Every structure is written in structure tokens, then in C-alpha cells.
Amino acid sequence: MQHSPRRRLLRRCALVSTVAMTVGLSLGANGAGAQPSTGTAASVTAQAAAAPELSSPDPGVMANLFEWNWNSVGKECTDVLGPAGYGGVQVAPPQDSLRRTKLGDGNDSILHPWWEVYQPVDYKLTSRMGSEAEFKAMVKTCRQAGVKVYVDAVINHMTGQGDTSYGGRTYQRYAYSDLGVDHNASYANSDFHKYSGDCTSTTGAIDDFNNLAQVRNCELVGLSDLRTDTAKVRKTLAAYLNKLLGYGVSGFRVDAAKHVGQPDLDAIYNRLHNTVDGTRPLWALEVFGGGPGILSPQAFTTSGKVLGLDGVKQIRDAFKSYPDAHLGSIATLKVFGADSGLTAGSKTVSFVQNHDTERNGDALNYKDGARNLLATQWLLASGYGTPQVYAAFTFSTNDDSPPTTADGMITDTDCTTSAWSCTDRNAGVIGMVGWHNYVGKAKQQNWWDDGQNVIAFGRGAKGWVAFNNGPAAKKITVQTGLSAGTYCDVVHGKKSGGSCTGPTVEVKDNGKATLTVRATGAVAIRANARL
Ligand code: LM2
Ligand code: CA
């Protein structure tokens, strides 16, 4: 059977998509020290941007509420996140995006896949998650609840398909008028690498993820690649991000940062205003690992924090590594962080999964049930990075949409249904958010493990935890580092008055405790939850 050229293109796109998301993005380009090709005269890449001033404040624990609509995010800030001690919330890309009107080009059965939001059409804020007014109200509500808002910023590209947006716009690829920022700037052909001659692949796609110029200047899964090396595009993108900062947003998760590249990231960041709190915005760069030299996550830590995508795999392998028993060995986590080959904790936003890795096999996900919760609780105890707790809609196939109205608008999150997995609300996770905040930067000490799947450690004299990733309850006797007394287990209970709503732990005069840690369970005590 012969395929039409159009059919072949679709097949290639689908293939590129799978490869890029599962393998390609985890590869990297070669070229340590190499300069990106400068292309045309309008290009300003040759001019190195000044190193950005990166002293943004520690965001505390963030919840990543992927594709929750704005009203639901605001409500969660008030009802759950603020009271629980979350310091921030990351939200999905809020700019106007592709709204598909027909099937094909990536999927043949789901009209509104979750990934529509990664195809910007303009920088007005009407999206699947709500209106600009609802977005602004959400930011205000969250800030009032003590929760700062961090936005997923899609700055590498515009759309790769379609002609209609959630904001009601019609467009053609490479021609986006009235972007809604900077005196209604627009993008034309000349603002895309496809037309600048800077993309060095024959197909226009990133065919070689180890080729620096391709990684930066060619099209990631067929998405129109912006000339972020030009002053005009940088100015337009900074205007979009500054609009968000003006609304009270505190920083950004930078989508596809590896494909923007350090010089352009630095130049855009240097144009950003301070937050409404007078601090520099968070700049958390998405850089899949595996690439050499300048494309490695390590090489982006001079431009911002990076997402802990390699850590995600180590966490998965520790909690679930053996094909037969699916038990893993969390005793391996005695060494985790810079010493296990990851980026420094101070430079990393850490998590057990995000929207890509929960689908592509790199990470544990909500389908791992108690084990996923245990890993999330462990991350909060570990002290590694700026931890995020991921909560989103459930799925059965890769492209599944979150629950929506017929036209693709995401409906209110309902944590009582199986359509959503609200890990941020899990009582044990919330207990560990409080524990994390209380122990602060206290050093890990008194490490104990059984060589397999039960571990315990303290954080200074402030807190102590144990995790059992094995199939049976285990009785342990360990040094806690805490003073003698009866403590409330904050994973299963709360101190209220002089008693605990859950089980307690007895610490002897010598600091030791004997207790049972249930299967796939944790125990955590802290100095200020002594009865
Ligand atoms: C990211 N990080 O670098 C996001 O975390 C990831 O979720 C995004 O991919 C990607 N970069 C682009 O922002 C997702 C999704 C892709 C999807 C794109 C664009 O994983 O599958 O690509 O968003 O919506 C889809 C189709 C693909 C098609 C492409 C362009 O799946 O087959 O390529 O749209 O039309 C021909
Ligand atoms: Ca690019």
C-alpha cells in the first residue's frame, strides 16, 4: 500500500513525537563551548548575555496542579495548600493555545489531548483552564492563602498544527497576529527559525538530538521554533512573562529550555521585572538529561534552577526496580543528590513525576498507589531540591484529555472521583509537608537501613522518619536523635492538644525507639509534635 505524502508526514510526526518524548529529549547535543550558528544579520546570539542574577527566594514545597482549571486551583490554595504549608503552586501554560477542531496530527481518537496547551497562539490568557479574569483571581486568591504561583512558560515555540484557539482566534502557522503584549506585537515568518536558515537539518525537525544547532534552531515535534536569538522575539517573550509577573506570578517553569539554549534564556531572564514581592523570579529550566557538555542539565545551572528529571528515574528505580517483585531497594537512597550524579539540590526542583514522566515510563505515577505516595513522602523528607508534589487527572492512554466540556474547557477538579488523583491532599503527604517545613535545612543524620527496603534517618534534632517499601510490616530499633518522650506520628495523625489523633512513637532516654513500620508505609516524628 502506498502512503500519500500527507499521510507519510503525519506518520513521521507521530514517530518523532514518540521518539522525542521518550528517547530524543533525553539525548543531548554535542558542542561544549561551541557557539550557536549566528544565521542572519538580525541575530544577536554572538553577543553573550550577562550572567543572570538568580537569587530568587526558596519557594518551599510546591504543588504542581497540572491542568486544574483556575477556579479549582484558587479553591485548592484556600482549602488545602495554604493551610497545609505549601509555599507555592505550579500551574499549566496559561497562554491562549491551539484548540483542535478535527482529529489527526498526533491522535486519531481524542479531540482535545492534554498537550494542546503546549501550542501557543498568542499571549492573551484565555485558555482551557479559564479566562484571563479567572487567572488573575486565582493568583490573588492563592497569594492571599500564602501560596505563590509559578507558571509553565512555553517560550520555545508556537503551534505545530490547527487553525483555531481557545481564545477564539484563527491563525496560520508562522503568522500570529495581535499577540496581546508589547503594543500588540505579532509574529511573522521572519520570527521563526524555519525561515532564518539557522536550522541545519534537512527535514526542519530536530533529527539529531546531539547536534547543538539542531537542538536550538530546528523544530521540536514539528512546533514552529521561535527565533529566541533575536531582540524582537526576546522582547515579546519578556513582555508576556512580565505581564504575568505584574499579575503577581512569582516565577516560571521554562518549557523546552534545552531547545531555547543558555544565551537566549539568560537574555530573556535579564529582561524580567522583579516579582510583586520585590524578588527575582524563579526560573526552573526543563532540560532532559543524557546530553553531553553544554546540553547537560548541569550546564544549565548557571542560567537557573533545573528540573530534577534524572532524579525522577533514580527514585523510580529505588522504589520499583525488579521486574518480578517490583520492590526496588530504597536502601540505595542513602546516597541521593549530587553524590549520586544529580544536579545540586540548591539548583534543582525535585519531584517524583511530572506530566511527561508520569506517561513515558521514566517515573512512578499515581497507578503505583501507596508506593507513589511513599516516594512522595520520602522526597519531602530527603531535603533534596525544592520539592514538588504532583496532582493531576488520571488517564488510560497517552493523549487523554482531562475532564472537559464538549468544547475542551477543563471542568472543576473533583477529587472524589477517579478522574483526578489529588496527591497534594493525601494526609500522609500533608503531614510530610509540615515535617519538611519544620526540619528546614537540618542535616541528615543517624541513617539506618536493613540493606533492602526499610530505611530511617533523622534531620538534626528536629525530626526523624522511617520508610518501609517492602511487602511486610517491619519492627525496628533505631537511634532517632530526638530527646526522650512520646511523639505523634505526623504521617498518620496530628497533635491536637496533649494527644495525637494517630499512633505515637516512644523515644527512650538514649534517643532510641522501637517501633513497627507498616508495609509500604512511613512513620515521621518531629520535636514540636511531642505530647
Ligand atoms: C515539553 N517539554 O520540553 C513539554 O513538557 C511536553 O509535554 C511538550 O510535548 C513539549 N515540550 C512541547 O512543548 C507535548 C506532547 C507532544 C505534543 C506537544 C505539542 O508530549 O506529544 O506534540 O506537547 O502539543 C503534538 C503531537 C505531535 C505533533 C505535535 C505538533 O503529539 O505528534 O507533531 O503536537 O503538531 C507532529
Ligand atoms: Ca528553539
Side-chain angles (χ1 to χ4, degrees):
M1 175 183 148
Q2 261 207 294
H3 295 301
S4 68
R6 164 120 182 109
R7 182 84 192 266
R8 275 205 302 273
L9 184 72
L10 291 180
R11 285 164 57 85
R12 190 172 59 74
C13 266
L15 182 73
V16 165
S17 166
T18 314
V19 171
M21 290 306 132
T22 59
V23 184
L25 289 181
S26 65
L27 300 175
N30 136 54
Q35 286 295 311
S37 83
T38 46
T40 66
S43 167
V44 293
T45 43
Q47 229 179 329
E53 200 240 300
L54 290 165
S55 55
S56 61
D58 180 354
V61 181
M62 270 184 259
N64 179 0
L65 303 186
F66 184 68
E67 294 194 358
W68 291 42
N69 71 22
W70 304 146
N71 290 340
S72 300
V73 172
K75 203 168 176 331
E76 196 74 352
C77 283
T78 306
D79 296 348
V80 177
L81 303 181
Y86 286 90
V89 61
Q90 181 183 308
V91 300
Q95 86 296 321
D96 187 17
S97 79
L98 158 71
R99 178 177 170 276
R100 301 200 330 161
T101 52
K102 58 180 191 300
L103 298 173
D105 217 356
N107 193 282
D108 291 327
S109 61
I110 295 156
L111 184 58
H112 298 299
W114 59 266
W115 44 253
E116 286 181 321
V117 301
Y118 287 99
Q119 303 201 24
V121 173
D122 61 67
Y123 302 124
K124 297 176 184 177
L125 304 185
T126 302
S127 72
R128 299 186 76 170
M129 282 73 67
S131 67
E132 184 145 347
E134 286 168 333
F135 178 85
K136 284 169 80 169
M138 175 273 289
V139 175
K140 195 172 168 205
T141 302
C142 287
R143 286 182 56 80
Q144 274 167 358
V147 182
K148 292 186 172 149
V149 178
Y150 301 91
V151 159
D152 192 343
V154 183
I155 62 174
N156 175 64
H157 52 260
M158 300 297 278
T159 62
Q161 57 177 277
D163 55 22
T164 305
S165 81
Y166 279 94
R169 304 285 299 276
T170 54
Y171 62 89
Q172 282 193 324
R173 273 189 78 184
Y174 310 110
Y176 307 87
S177 61
D178 187 16
L179 292 169
V181 291
D182 210 18
H183 306 296
N184 292 336
S186 57
Y187 291 143
N189 287 0
S190 55
D191 296 309
F192 292 93
H193 282 132
K194 179 182 169 85
Y195 296 95
S196 70
D198 291 326
C199 169
T200 56
S201 78
T202 46
T203 61
I206 302 171
D207 291 337
D208 180 357
F209 278 79
N210 286 322
N211 179 303
L212 182 62
Q214 285 193 24
V215 166
R216 289 183 178 169
N217 304 333
C218 298
E219 296 190 341
L220 174 69
V221 294
L223 296 159
S224 310
D225 204 64
L226 282 165
R227 292 179 73 196
T228 49
D229 44 340
T230 66
K232 179 198 163 180
V233 170
R234 290 172 176 180
K235 191 167 166 251
T236 306
L237 289 169
Y240 164 47
L241 303 183
N242 281 331
K243 170 165 96 171
L244 294 169
L245 290 168
Y247 288 173
V249 164
S250 297
F252 307 98
R253 175 258 188 201
V254 184
D255 184 66
K258 180 173 175 176
H259 303 280
V260 177
Q262 293 92 330
D264 303 358
L265 290 166
D266 294 354
I268 294 164
Y269 189 81
N270 283 337
R271 287 175 176 270
L272 297 188
H273 301 157
N274 281 350
T275 67
V276 292
D277 300 308
T279 58
R280 294 303 292 152
L282 177 72
W283 198 228
L285 309 175
E286 195 228 18
V287 182
F288 272 88
I294 202 166
L295 284 183
S296 65
Q298 282 77 4
F300 281 80
T301 58
T302 49
S303 292
K305 285 192 203 275
V306 293
L307 303 191
L309 292 160
D310 285 333
V312 153
K313 296 187 201 169
Q314 289 192 13
I315 295 168
R316 173 201 62 194
D317 289 346
F319 280 87
K320 182 184 170 179
S321 69
Y322 304 131
D324 292 328
H326 294 293
L327 282 183
S329 175
I330 61 172
T332 56
L333 296 172
K334 183 174 186 178
V335 178
F336 187 84
D339 291 344
S340 69
L342 304 175
T343 46
S346 62
K347 285 288 181 183
T348 307
V349 172
S350 56
F351 42 84
V352 175
Q353 70 268 135
N354 68 0
H355 71 278
D356 288 323
T357 58
E358 73 167 341
R359 290 179 168 75
N360 72 9
D362 277 0
L364 296 170
N365 67 23
Y366 72 90
K367 295 177 190 185
D368 292 300
R371 180 154 292 129
N372 181 50
L373 295 172
L374 192 68
T376 305
Q377 291 161 9
W378 167 81
L379 182 69
L380 291 165
S382 72
Y384 176 69
T386 290
Q388 273 189 345
V389 173
Y390 180 77
F393 57 95
T394 59
F395 56 90
S396 52
T397 72
N398 185 75
D399 288 359
D400 281 4
S401 169
T404 64
T405 59
D407 61 0
M409 292 297 287
I410 298 170
T411 48
D412 291 351
T413 300
D414 184 351
C415 296
T416 65
T417 72
S418 61
W420 294 90
S421 169
C422 301
T423 304
D424 63 304
R425 291 189 183 186
N426 174 263
V429 169
I430 286 178
M432 289 310 297
V433 169
W435 190 95
H436 172 278
N437 293 343
Y438 177 70
V439 304
K441 296 206 180 311
K443 262 198 150 48
Q444 184 177 303
Q445 63 177 24
N446 292 315
W447 175 275
W448 178 93
D449 65 65
D450 68 348
Q452 296 185 71
N453 257 316
V454 184
I455 63 173
F457 56 90
R459 295 284 302 281
K462 297 196 108 178
W464 174 89
V465 270
F467 297 93
N468 181 356
N469 185 47
K474 179 129 180 169
K475 192 171 179 188
I476 62 175
T477 297
V478 290
Q479 176 57 247
T480 66
L482 269 62
S483 52
T486 303
Y487 292 85
C488 186
D489 170 7
V490 297
V491 172
H492 298 100
K494 261 190 210 155
K495 188 186 164 192
S496 115
S499 60
C500 178
T501 61
T504 59
V505 174
E506 210 64 50
V507 174
K508 302 255 168 52
D509 285 342
N510 59 6
K512 288 195 169 176
T514 297
L515 65 148
T516 298
V517 192
R518 56 186 90 174
T520 330
V523 173
I525 60 176
R526 53 192 240 202
N528 70 345
R530 190 165 65 170
L531 303 181

